[in-house]
Structure formats: C-alpha cells, structure tokens
Amino acid sequence: MSHDHDDRPRLTPAQAEAALSPPPGRNGGDLVVESLQGLGATTVFGLPGQHALGMFDALRRSSLSYVGLRVENNAGFAADAYGRITGEVAPLLLSTGPGALTSLAALQEAAAASAPVLAISSQIPTAGLGGGRHGYLHELRDQQASFRDIVKSVHTVRSASQIPSAIAAAWESALTAPHGPVWVEIPQDVLLAGTVLPVVSAMDATPREVHPRPELTVAAAHLLSNAERPAIIAGGGVVRSDASGKLRALAERINAPVVTTFGGKGAFPWEHPLSLRSWLEDRHTTDFLESADVLLVVGSGLGELSSNYHTFSPRGRVIQIEADAGKLESNHPALGIHSDAREALADLLEAVTERPDEDAAGRVRTVLEKVRARIDAQDLTLEQGVLASVREALPDTAPSFWDMTILAYWAWSAFDARHPNTMHSAQGAGGLGYGFPAAIGAAAADPTRPVLAVSGDGGAMYSLAELATARQYGLPVTWLIVDDGGYGILREYMTGAFGEATATDLARPDFVALAESFGVPAVRTTPESLATDLAKALAAPGPSVVVLPALLRMFEPTHL
C-alpha cells in the first residue's frame, strides 16, 4: 500500500541546511518559543519566575511580542480576551507553584467562556516529579491536579524532544470546538538544558471540526419549518464560531424572534424587527420563550443566567445546538445536536423551508413594550442615562470588557453591542477583576482601535497594578471606574435578603490621583458629563481612566 505524503510541509533547502546545523546557545525554552512561532503565534502574555527563566530568556531570540502583566491572574484575563477577540490561541507563560496557581481564576473564566488560552508553566526539576516531598522551591505534590478540573487538557513534558509535540497537541485541543484553556508544564531543568535539536520549523495542529449529524439536521429543519411559534435563543457559541450572519438568515427565513444571551451579545442585530434583545432576566421574555412551540437554542447551555435563574420551563420542543457535549440536554430535554454553531446553522439554512409569519415582529414589539414599561416604573433614569452615555461615547466597533459590577449587569440586558464579538464580560465564571486586564489583552490584539474597560471600585482594586502595564506598552485602554464605595451589588443582595449589609463597604484610594501617579491621564466625571469625558478619553492615544462617583441600583428581578 502506498501513501501520498505530498500535503505534508516541505523544508526549503535553507531550512534543511539549518536543521543539520542548528545555531548554538539554544535550550528547552527556545523549543517552546520556536513551537509557538511554528504554530502561528505572534503575541504571548505572562509573568516570569525563577523556574520559567529558560522560556523568558528564549523570548529575546524570537519574533514573539511579549506583554507582561503584574499579576498572573491578570495575565490570564488578558490572554482570555486576546483569544476571544482574535479567535486564535493566546499563549500564557507562567512559573511554578504560586505563579501557576494564581492564574486559576482566569483559566476558570476562559473555560466558562470558551477562550483558547494555552498556559505553559514551568515545573520543579525532573528529579522532584512524582509526588515525593523533596523541598524544592514552589513544590506541589501534583501541580497538574490543580488544573485538571478547569482546563480542557493537561500535557506534561519530561524531555526536550517532547516539547514541540506537547505544545502542538495542546494547541489543537484549545482550538477544537468548544474552544478553551489548556495546560502544559515543563520542568525547570528541561527548559534550561542546552539542546542540539534542529530549530522547530514545520508545525501542524489543525483542530478537529465538529459537524452535525445529518439525520438530526433533517429532524430539526422539519420542526422549525412547521412550527407555529418558533423562537431562537442565541448564545456565545454563535459569536465564537462567527455565525451571526447565518443566524440572521435562518431567523428571517423562518420568521423566528431571537433573544441573545449575555455571552451572545451582538450575535443578532439589536434593532432588527425580530430582535427580543437580551432581556433574559425578565418574566415577560421568559413567558414568551416558554410559549414557543419550537425553541432553537444555539451555542448556549441554558445555564443560570440564560434561564432567568432556572425559572424558565419550556413547554414546546427544544432543539439544542452545542459544541460542548456536556451541555447537551444538561438542563432541559431537547433534540440535542453536538456541533459547532456555524456548521449546524449552515446545514439548517439549506434544509429549512421558508415560513411566513406576519405577526412575528408584532409579538416582539409587544414583549419589548412590556419590558420597557416594567423598567420605566422603577425610577431608574440615572442608571439608564449612564448606560446610554457609555453607548454614545463608545465607537461601534470598539471592544468593551465589563467586570462584575452593577453597570455591567445593566449592560447584559440593556446594552446594544452593535457588532458581534465586541462586548465581553466575566459572566462565565463570575470572578472579580476581569475588565481592565482583559481590555489590555484586546488592545494588544489590535492597538489601532480604543478599548473600554468597565469596573466598580471593588473590582478595580483587583487590577490597579495593571495601570503600569497599560502605561508601559502605551495601550489604548480607557478604564471607566464607577465608584460607589464598596461591593454595590452584594450590598443590594444582602440588604434585600437580611435587611442590612455586612463587609460590603470599602475604603478606597483617590483613583484619579492614583492613575496619574502611574502616568495615566485621569478625570473625575459626573453622569451629566460622562458621555463627553468618556468620548474624549477614548479618542486620546494610550491609556486613560475616567472615574464616575455614582450609586447605581439594579432593576427588580422577576425570578424571586
């Protein structure tokens, strides 16, 4: 039997000559950066540590651009945002033990949001592996065990020749739908040891595509084509697979109203006649979705936030398209289709028949009018005005990154993300401190457009060190800090549940003076001048801070 290998990468004569006589002075760290370059990486994030110095020394011999943050968790958030914005793998270089463990919360967010982060950590020397208690600096009995519950896959290297294969396998895992974070660990001595291995020049790590099974597509198309009241819930999978155009085409063909989840912001045009927008934390929307006789859920697991805190109980048939097999039917019985959203929507578009419905847009208007009336009855003009000012100031294509703060919770439901893949938050895992370091990662991916970060004063305290990072690299990140003197949403939750709040009021710095001490221009604004001050900051080169002292309130929930 003969095999055709013509599709394999071929070395040029110069590359072949280089393979036979590799340059001197290389070590295991060089194999790491050469592997990353060979796979197409251009930017890496991280923070050096003693065991990882072999990797970081090799960076200066590479063409990779390095963005160094001040806290490992923030470096993880920056890599997460880079992966979301570009759809490419974001390498994250970390040290052993405390450095590695400090990234865990960021990797949990990357896992929840399906961001392709390739974390490469050092390890204690090879002689210390295996769980013995040798007393090495940073030693853990089983470092990878701390990550196994969070990342998609774990890859351990024990010799230099294993480095390219381990990184290629991790790269493929990170980019196979659903995207997600992966973990590679390499012992200190392997990174530092000199190598005579040829320069890594030809790497291939093509992710596997996840296609829908054809019989499921036929069944789903039949249900949708013959539905009386179809509706669509579009989640983050639509954004990540760049399927918003196919989603719109399908919705228009079968005249199905569309609501986007908080992770799916921008997946469907906000002002479209079939757009129910993102009012998922509203009983009027929940009632409407429950009344659908066929509900198509694309790229969402219908988790807590997407189901109005598990009060949603569909009465019709549910079709669920999801690249993460573990999410299929995890919350509701459905015709489960394990597939990348783009692939499944493309097949459905070919299979459905046009479904006329002159009343669909009217039903959408009715729901939105009920939502509007409910919000307007709660005297929340300050909150709506602040959010409108942010929308006015932010260019349509500029990305925004929102921390876990009251203004962000408003934005989940009420902010018009005018383009797909422009609005991101930490609503996957729900940890604090995401907004500003994530915005740094997005600015590193594309420094030609401004990036907005939104935090409360409590969440901002997690990220203050990164003002130095933004200044050092001159990144165009504007940080809006809404200062209400504490953890505002927790204050509301505790007051509502217990009558008073505990441990939610915070002493904090003068954020304007603090930013200026880093060399970052800052201004204190008011709700009335926010749009002007924010637009001015976003238009200026380099980083900036806008501080808004304001006590914002949430709209009343409907799930209690």
Side-chain angles (χ1 to χ4, degrees), residues 432-447:
L432 275 175
Y434 175 79
F436 187 53
I440 286 174
D446 181 3

Side-chain angles (χ1 to χ4, degrees), residues 448-523:
T448 66
R449 57 181 178 175
V451 184
L452 174 67
V454 180
S455 300
D457 58 291
M461 296 295 286
Y462 282 62
S463 314
L464 292 176
E466 306 312 337
L467 284 165
T469 304
R471 178 72 278 161
Q472 179 171 343
Y473 295 99
L475 295 170
V477 176
T478 294
W479 193 7
L480 172 61
I481 301 173
V482 182
D483 183 359
D484 66 2
Y487 300 124
I489 192 66
L490 299 179
R491 187 189 288 142
E492 281 201 15
Y493 288 162
M494 292 191 79
T495 303
F498 310 116
E500 59 182 297
T502 305
T504 57
D505 291 340
L506 301 172
R508 65 263 187 223
D510 179 337
F511 287 110
V512 171
L514 184 73
E516 289 174 342
S517 76
F518 282 92
V520 174
V523 63

Side-chain angles (χ1 to χ4, degrees), residues 206-232:
T206 306
R208 301 180 306 280
E209 294 184 348
V210 186
H211 295 283
R213 298 206 329 259
E215 75 276 13
L216 297 178
T217 300
V218 169
H222 177 77
L223 287 170
L224 291 167
S225 300
N226 293 283
E228 291 183 14
R229 299 175 310 283
I232 298 173

Side-chain angles (χ1 to χ4, degrees), residues 88-162:
E88 300 167 1
V89 172
L92 171 65
L93 306 185
L94 302 167
S95 192
T96 319
L101 295 176
T102 303
S103 73
L104 278 168
L107 294 176
Q108 184 188 0
E109 177 57 41
S114 298
V117 175
L118 169 52
I120 305 176
S121 159
S122 55
Q123 246 293 21
I124 59 174
T126 310
L129 298 181
R133 308 301 283 156
H134 302 280
Y136 285 104
L137 182 71
H138 306 328
E139 182 178 283
L140 293 166
R141 283 174 296 174
D142 187 358
Q143 179 174 273
Q144 59 177 274
S146 297
F147 294 84
R148 201 174 281 114
D149 182 48
I150 293 173
V151 299
K152 285 186 68 179
S153 58
V154 170
H155 310 261
T156 298
V157 166
R158 288 178 179 266
S159 67
S161 60
Q162 296 175 5

Side-chain angles (χ1 to χ4, degrees), residues 222-231 287-296 314-319 355 357 363:
H222 177 77
L223 287 170
L224 291 167
S225 300
N226 293 283
E228 291 183 14
R229 299 175 310 283
D287 289 342
F288 182 88
L289 294 173
E290 286 182 350
S291 71
D293 63 331
V294 179
L295 179 67
L296 175 63
R315 296 193 296 273
R317 290 292 302 272
V318 177
I319 303 163
R355 199 196 72 86
D357 189 339
R363 295 199 300 274

